[in-house]
Amino acid sequence: MDKELSSKKIKDQALKLGFSACGIAEVSFLSDHRPRLQKWLNENRHGEMGYMSNNFEMRLDPALLVENSRSVIVVLQNYYPEKQLHPDSDYLISRYAYGEDYHFVIKDKLRKLQTFINNEIAANQSRVFTDSAPVLERAWAVKAGLGWIGKNSLLITPRNGSYFFIAEIITDLELAYDNSYGGNFCGDCRRCIDACPTQAIGQDRMIDSRKCISYLTIEKKGELPEELKGKYKKWIFGCDICQEVCPWNRFSIPHNESSFELPAQVQGFKAEDWKDLSKETFNSLFKKSALKRAKYEGVMRNMEFLDSDE
Ligand code: SF4
Ligand code: SF4
């Protein structure tokens, strides 16, 4: 099949499956990203995420993930929720974690797209990825023409802002490619830098995970840094502040993925409901949720850390 037509069919199918956008980039070695990634790791800005320093070359070279790979098919999945925790809620969790764990939801849909490509376009060797392997997802989204990387280090789409998951299929199929996204429309804005309560966003547009509430409330094991006490606002899992203040997110529209909805019961949770949660109730309420990454003990630790400042 003609490459242009193949790419069009893949993109149409991605949208039919409920993805918000799809772009396709030609596989290449991401040499431009090497110095920044190296600097970020050398300065230990990845904190305790030791896995980030593994497979350094693989992060820059998709050919090491899929032999003879030619194309990176990048899809975006909107997770901006219509029903949100009220800003006056006693505790807040990041919007991306409201519903079922995105890894499973997105991988299901990606596999359907993979099957479609095999059956309707051409037999090919491919792998699907969603935040699950050493892939520089934001870099590929830019190369696939979907947006630019903002000062908050997130992918910003000009049409609908930044509340998106990014996922990829890397394949040995040759396709027609999108132009890399030209430009960066942050301009003089620095709202995300100024609003970050822990000054985790550097002037060099790189995040210091060791100060980032998102990393600290989810990935960090053990004690939380005392010097950041009083700066966590109300976040007990993740943090959306640098997205909430981004002017491009005035274009966010609600997602259409029912599995990303916040459980109705949690919608009206007060401080005492969170504090009284037993491990059993937590595990049943958030059975399929990304909150399980921090586990019951982690979420409770985060709450205690907030409360100890009052
Ligand atoms: S997620 Fe929160 S803490 Fe991390 S950089 Fe953004 S505003 Fe700062
Ligand atoms: S808040 Fe401003 S500087 Fe930060 S990502 Fe958005 S547009 Fe860019």
Side-chain angles (χ1 to χ4, degrees), residues 56-294:
F56 182 80
E57 292 299 321
M58 210 178 256
R59 267 177 216 285
L60 300 166
D61 188 0
L64 298 175
L65 284 165
V66 177
E67 208 179 345
N68 301 320
S69 53
R70 306 294 298 270
S71 309
V72 184
I73 301 165
V74 186
V75 291
L76 301 184
Q77 170 70 56
N78 181 2
Y79 65 84
Y80 186 72
E82 184 159 24
K83 287 189 195 146
Q84 309 196 13
L85 284 170
H86 194 276
D88 291 337
S89 296
D90 297 299
Y91 298 117
L92 292 172
I93 58 176
S94 181
R95 291 167 178 82
Y96 89 81
Y98 274 13
E100 283 183 33
D101 190 331
Y102 66 97
H103 294 96
F104 303 117
V105 178
I106 293 180
K107 229 166 208 176
D108 268 4
K109 293 210 288 195
L110 263 191
R111 290 212 172 97
K112 286 183 185 151
L113 186 58
Q114 191 183 32
T115 305
F116 170 87
I117 297 169
N118 255 315
N119 293 345
E120 305 293 330
I121 309 290
N124 68 104
Q125 295 300 318
S126 67
R127 286 178 66 189
V128 301
F129 303 96
T130 175
D131 195 20
S132 54
V135 180
L136 291 184
E137 306 197 298
R138 283 166 263 185
W140 286 110
V142 175
K143 282 179 93 64
L146 297 173
W148 73 94
I149 299 177
K151 290 177 190 169
N152 58 6
S153 90
L154 299 172
L155 178 80
I156 316 277
T157 71
R159 285 180 60 190
N160 298 116
S162 65
Y163 290 99
F164 290 97
F165 297 119
I166 309 172
E168 312 77 37
I169 298 177
I170 301 181
T171 168
D172 63 2
L173 201 59
E174 198 177 341
L175 294 163
Y177 302 116
D178 292 288
N179 291 325
S180 186
Y181 194 82
N184 180 313
F185 295 96
C186 283
D188 293 335
C189 174
R190 44 173 292 134
R191 286 191 204 181
C192 52
I193 297 174
D194 295 338
C196 175
T198 55
Q199 282 88 52
I201 308 175
Q203 296 299 332
D204 55 7
R205 302 177 177 210
M206 288 199 277
I207 304 286
D208 188 338
S209 305
R210 296 164 300 182
K211 293 184 186 171
C212 176
I213 298 166
S214 195
Y215 159 80
L216 292 165
T217 54
I218 300 170
E219 304 288 342
K220 172 88 174 69
K221 308 278 181 267
E223 300 286 307
L224 294 171
E226 280 293 312
E227 65 274 18
L228 296 182
K229 204 162 250 185
K231 297 190 172 173
Y232 274 41
K233 306 288 181 179
K234 298 174 175 180
W235 298 96
I236 56 168
F237 186 94
C239 165
D240 287 342
I241 294 172
C242 55
Q243 300 201 77
E244 289 172 345
V245 298
C246 179
W248 292 95
N249 279 331
R250 68 187 185 277
F251 302 124
S252 299
I253 52 167
H255 65 70
N256 56 5
E257 176 55 66
S258 56
S259 56
F260 288 164
E261 303 284 347
L262 186 69
Q265 198 180 339
V266 180
Q267 190 86 36
F269 258 24
K270 301 268 183 263
E272 55 273 22
D273 299 311
W274 282 107
K275 285 179 191 164
D276 291 347
L277 265 183
S278 67
K279 189 167 180 172
E280 290 67 35
T281 314
F282 176 90
N283 285 341
S284 111
L285 210 47
F286 300 112
K287 190 167 53 187
K288 295 182 175 175
S289 157
L291 256 78
K292 288 194 82 180
R293 186 163 177 87

Side-chain angles (χ1 to χ4, degrees), residues 24-43:
I24 305 179
E26 185 172 16
V27 160
S28 61
F29 182 70
L30 296 173
S31 51
D32 294 357
H33 292 262
R34 178 192 277 271
R36 277 177 74 78
L37 182 58
Q38 191 71 69
K39 183 170 189 278
W40 189 70
L41 291 168
N42 287 349
E43 293 174 1

